[in-house]
Amino acid sequence: MVRVRFAPSPTGYLHIGGARTALFNWLFARHQGGTFILRIEDTDRTRSTDDYIEAIIEGMKWLDLDWDEGPFRQTDRFDIYRSYVERLVKEGKAYNCYCTPEELEQRRQEALAQGRPPKYDGRCRGLKEPVPGRSPAVRFRMPQEGQTVVNDMIKGSVTFENNQLDDLIIMRSDGTPTYNFVVVVDDVDMKITHVIRGDDHLNNTPKQLHIYKALGYEIPQFGHLPMILGSDKARLSKRHGATSVMAYKEMGYLPEALMNYLVRLGWSYGDQEIFTREELVKYFSFESVGKSSAVFNPEKLIWLNSQYIMNTAPEKLAGLVMPFLVQEKILSEGQTLDMQWLSKAIVTLRERAKTLVELAHSLRYYISEDVEYNEKAKAKFLNEKSLPYLVELKDALALIPDFSSQEIEKVFKAITEKHGVKLGNVAQPVRVAITGGTESPGIFEVLEIVGKEKTLKRLEKAIRNIGVPSGKEA
């Protein structure tokens, strides 16, 4: 049975690269009917924080990447790691090293100056007696000859020369274990069958293979995902835009859109661009994961987000947009709206919105009691030429018992036919009066959603403002 894990270090938020790794592991597990495990690799005590752990979990939940086991924390497992270290020392596969950090740094600098690899020189390898007054670190005894071959699910066969591998420290002198060692122990204990991670970990893999062999355990299948690059082909970083997953939530992206975008960073299925969650689970395989780095394209992501907004049920969008209406100060804290009415308003706007923030802003003229005019629009359309149409329309609309788009359209049609003018001659001044600008959905639908009371108030305001100098309102 397939067992995979996502094992982030809580030294920062869940970022785009980490989220893609989590997603690929999750998809593989779900496709194979396997198990997806969440493990927090928090052995770096100086940089790991509980706040980052909570942020990672929050990001996973927002993306709906549900895990089957965990979250496990490495700091809860130190006794397990120490028992494995003791076993390796007893079997002669690891040894105590009494070199101080200062001595190691001095030798490293000397090696660099002489053009040699700055690896540990092995002087404690054959040490029989402890060094008085010093607490030892524990090093793993690496082979010094031959080659190590990593058979990678994505990259194929990758060969490493063993004489380039260091006798890595597996436990520090203060008794804390190190990353490359605890990763193997955890994967062994959790019966991980496939290790899927970013290719920045590829150089760690030969070291870890030898630890598996020393412990006598079966080696899992490895798959190293190519890195995500920015548009300038450099490694993705903050300068390429927001890379925290939760930052995208705050900017009004839908989790389904971000998930869809992330999976397409390195995986393909024909020419299809947009996938349901069920389709991703059904189609995903590592045979379709590319070997080259993927380039992060913010424009493509925002396009994809707009497609998801356009195709999301208005009732669901209504619930999603409510926090942004408060955030953007369109609603006050605690203020409520009729959700059926809001859904109806969203139907008219969702095809124009790229994010939930944009959708919230576009709802402003529906929700607010009043509107502010765009000065150019006001000058062009709220003038003496449009005044008769506005007055006549206001009086006619006031008499409609059924304030529906169909009845509103009849009023507009009657006025345009009476005066022999095109619809735009009446509709544009009304649009500016009702929305403050010159762009909106169909004017009949807009008036119906704004409602009779607000419509008449805004028409009255526009009538009063005609003739008032630009920049002022009556």
Side-chain angles (χ1 to χ4, degrees), residues 307-318:
Q307 299 301 302
Y308 271 85
I309 288 176
M310 192 186 308
N311 292 290
T312 296
E315 297 78 16
K316 182 178 180 180
L317 285 176

Side-chain angles (χ1 to χ4, degrees), residues 243-298:
T243 54
S244 162
V245 164
M246 297 312 290
Y248 285 97
K249 179 185 179 183
E250 292 164 7
M251 291 189 292
Y253 286 80
L254 300 183
E256 299 88 348
L258 186 57
M259 175 190 276
N260 194 147
Y261 183 72
L262 288 176
V263 78
R264 295 287 285 114
L265 287 176
W267 175 83
S268 61
Y269 186 80
D271 296 327
Q272 187 170 343
E273 289 282 353
I274 300 175
F275 297 83
T276 65
R277 188 180 179 88
E278 293 72 25
E279 285 176 329
L280 289 176
V281 171
K282 180 180 179 181
Y283 299 142
F284 184 82
S285 74
F286 280 99
E287 286 77 16
S288 299
V289 173
K291 296 182 180 181
S292 57
S293 297
V295 176
F296 185 79
N297 184 338

Side-chain angles (χ1 to χ4, degrees), residues 10 53 61 106 134 154 177 251 263 312 317 320 336 344 396 441:
I53 292 174
K61 287 181 176 178
Q106 181 182 347
R134 291 190 180 185
I154 299 167
M251 291 189 292
V263 78
T312 296
L317 285 176
L320 292 172
T336 59
K344 189 175 179 181

